[in-house]
Structures are given as C-alpha cells and as structure tokens.
Amino acid sequence: MQITFSLEQINAVAEQILAQKLKNVILFYGEMGAGKTTLIKNLAKSLGVKSPTNSPTFSLVNEYQTAENKLLYHFDMYRIKSENEAYDIGMEEYLYSGNWCFIEWPEKIPNLIPEEHSIIKIKLIDNGKRELILTS
C-alpha cells in the first residue's frame, strides 16, 4: 500500500492502515519529524485507546489498552546506545506477546526484530505532505 496524505487526513490514513492485513509487530521508519509518532497516536486512537498517548522517547516503551482489552506497546528506540538496552527492558517478551508492538527507530535493534512484522515507511514530500509505504 502506498499513499500520499496531509496531516489533516491522518485519521483516515490510520483507518486505511488498520484495514490491511497487518502483523502485530509494526516497524516505523522515517526521518525525525516525518510523522511517525503522530501516525502511531492516530493508530492507537483508531484501535480504541482512550488514554493520552505520547512518545516514549525517555521511557523507551509506553503501554496502552485498546477497546478490545488488548495491549498496545509503543517503543521509541531513538535514544538507545546498544541492543543490550532493549534486552534489559525485556523487549523480546513484548515482541512475542501477540500484542500490538509499534516500534520507532527499529534500525537500532535489528537483531531483535521478529521475522513476522509489517513495515511503515514515512517521508516528508512537497507542501508538508507525507508519502507512506506499508509492506506486510
């Protein structure tokens, strides 16, 4: 799936993404400011998360409950120095829990990524629009 959108359309984009056949682990690639966290917030909202969502930049992981009483884990690996830090927080347990795992900056933990995952790549293009490519 490939789409171009503006931030005003992000709710509809989140719905389109969730309508696809996705793996529980979704990797988010994109430069700083491309809209990864904003998209994840809207995906969480579309999954029925009621609590406020924010980037886990300092905590590495935030946990949310969806409308179906399932868990959603949002990871931000930007600040980790090595994969050992991810091991230390028990990341493998999260990744193989069967719950949603949304991971920003997955390139920092290449050896931890499960074989079964989906990928979302976002990049800024002209006029503040974004281009999104989803592979599952």
Side-chain angles (χ1 to χ4, degrees):
M1 172 176 138
Q2 182 173 351
I3 51 177
T4 300
F5 66 98
S6 65
L7 286 180
E8 292 79 27
Q9 300 168 306
I10 201 157
N11 288 331
V13 170
E15 293 292 335
Q16 283 181 272
I17 290 168
L18 292 172
Q20 306 300 307
K21 185 174 180 162
L22 299 169
K23 307 293 191 261
N24 285 345
V25 175
I26 305 176
L27 313 179
F28 291 79
Y29 291 92
E31 295 177 1
M32 186 79 69
K36 298 179 299 295
T37 301
T38 302
L39 178 59
I40 289 171
K41 287 179 180 186
N42 282 272
L43 288 166
K45 181 179 169 186
S46 291
L47 288 167
V49 171
K50 300 282 188 229
S51 60
T53 55
N54 52 38
S55 178
T57 302
F58 295 101
S59 61
L60 299 182
V61 61
N62 286 344
E63 179 181 312
Y64 305 104
Q65 191 163 9
T66 69
E68 297 176 349
N69 289 320
K70 293 188 177 184
L71 295 176
L72 183 157
Y73 300 111
H74 177 191
F75 297 90
D76 186 334
M77 300 287 104
Y78 182 74
R79 293 195 180 279
I80 69 166
K81 306 265 188 288
S82 73
E83 282 184 317
N84 285 336
E85 289 181 58
Y87 279 110
D88 289 346
I89 66 163
M91 186 140 187
E92 284 182 304
E93 290 179 41
Y94 291 109
L95 295 175
Y96 294 96
S97 67
N99 293 305
W100 288 109
C101 292
F102 296 168
I103 306 170
E104 295 185 62
W105 304 101
E107 57 270 32
K108 299 271 200 148
I109 56 164
N111 297 309
L112 284 169
I113 303 300
E115 196 171 307
E116 294 286 316
H117 63 270
S118 296
I119 296 173
I120 292 178
K121 293 181 181 178
I122 304 174
K123 71 177 180 178
L124 280 169
I125 56 175
D126 297 333
N127 300 323
K129 291 193 176 200
R130 272 83 174 154
E131 179 183 76
L132 180 144
I133 299 171
L134 167 67
T135 53
S136 205

